[in-house]
């Protein structure tokens, strides 16, 4: 009876109407998906319709960047500023909206500053490409992402970068890549989750690292 109850608790909520988006689930094996906490499965199974937006409020607890990382973040402003430029703890908000054009999701991250306007980062996740998931950061620049489950956390890693020019997509050689990007989503319980971003270069080491905590709105 206890086993039957456990199965019911794990399966029935995922069949509910609120969990109508199976696109992230399709990127993982059934075993890997089941290894994620239910709260994580809920967050990555929400289909936003009719212009609805999901918001997560929280803050950056720590952010670290080497000199090379800060230079890279500044240079990346030429393609829309996809890397953190606020190198101090502070309030943050993440919103997710359905991308009807790219058949994916638009992610917007707002980082407050102690003075001046906050930094806003836009990117679009699209379920396409050889890995099944790509993230576009602006000016035709994007990256293919792999998805895995490690220690009950959902982990995204860059597989390669590409640039689209005049309709032609060109994959960047390894030496031209800014580094390997790793994003970790770990549930903390009680509606909270940790978001960790790290960019590692094969020669220059860790360029940027950001630790933040958000809550379900």
């Amino acid at each position: 009876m206890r086993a039957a109850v456990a199965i019911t608790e794990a399966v029935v909520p995922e069949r509910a109407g609120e969990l109508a988006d199976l696109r992230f689930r399709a990127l993982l094996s059934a075993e890997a998906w089941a290894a994620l906490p239910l709260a994580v499965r809920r967050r990555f199974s929400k289909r936003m319709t009719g212009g609805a937006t999901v918001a997560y409020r929280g803050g950056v607890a720590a952010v670290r960047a080497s000199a090379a990382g800060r230079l890279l973040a500044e240079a990346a402003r030429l393609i829309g500023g996809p890397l953190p430029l606020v190198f101090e703890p502070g309030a943050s908000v993440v919103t997710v909206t359905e991308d009807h054009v790219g058949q994916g999701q638009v992610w917007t991250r707002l980082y407050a500053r102690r003075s001046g306007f906050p930094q806003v980062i836009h990117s679009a996740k699209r379920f396409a490409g050889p890995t099944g998931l790509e993230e576009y950061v602006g000016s035709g620049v994007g990256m293919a992402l792999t998805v895995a489950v490690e220690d009950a956390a959902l982990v995204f890693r860059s597989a390669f970068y590409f640039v689209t020019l005049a309709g032609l997509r060109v994959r960047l050689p390894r030496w031209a890549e800014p580094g390997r990007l790793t994003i970790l989503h770990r549930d903390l319980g009680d509606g909270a989750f940790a978001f960790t971003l790290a960019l590692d270069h094969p020669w220059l080491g860790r360029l940027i690292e950001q630790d933040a905590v958000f809550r379900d709105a």
Side-chain angles (χ1 to χ4, degrees), residues 93-175:
V93 177
V94 174
T95 62
V96 184
T97 307
E98 189 71 11
D99 177 13
H100 297 290
V101 176
Q103 299 300 307
Q105 297 176 342
V106 174
W107 289 60
T108 301
R109 294 169 285 276
L110 184 149
Y111 299 109
R113 304 177 193 265
R114 293 177 182 173
S115 61
F117 289 104
Q119 180 191 7
V120 180
I121 298 176
H122 300 285
S123 66
K125 284 184 171 63
R126 297 176 181 174
F127 300 88
T131 64
L133 182 64
E134 297 179 339
E135 184 155 8
Y136 293 75
V137 299
S139 300
V141 178
M143 58 185 161
L145 297 173
T146 62
V147 188
V149 176
E150 300 175 8
D151 297 327
L154 192 60
V155 182
F156 300 88
R157 289 190 176 92
S158 59
F160 61 85
Y161 295 78
F162 58 85
V163 178
T164 303
L165 299 172
L168 180 64
R169 188 161 118 165
V170 179
R171 179 170 169 172
L172 293 180
R174 288 295 183 186
W175 61 264

Side-chain angles (χ1 to χ4, degrees), residues 9-100:
E9 291 176 347
V11 175
V12 171
E14 292 191 2
R15 293 179 178 175
E18 63 181 318
L19 301 180
D21 192 340
L22 303 180
R23 293 175 295 181
F24 281 105
R25 180 175 182 174
L27 300 174
L28 297 165
S29 67
E31 294 78 12
W33 180 259
L36 289 169
L38 179 58
V40 177
R41 300 199 300 266
R42 285 182 178 276
R43 293 185 193 106
F44 286 89
S45 297
K46 293 180 180 179
R47 171 82 69 160
M48 278 67 69
T49 59
T53 297
V54 175
Y56 303 102
R57 299 182 179 89
V60 174
V63 57
R64 295 164 290 276
S66 66
R70 290 175 181 253
L71 287 174
L72 177 62
E74 289 291 341
R77 296 174 68 179
L78 296 173
I79 60 171
L83 294 174
L85 290 167
V86 180
F87 302 107
E88 59 190 27
S92 180
V93 177
V94 174
T95 62
V96 184
T97 307
E98 189 71 11
D99 177 13
H100 297 290

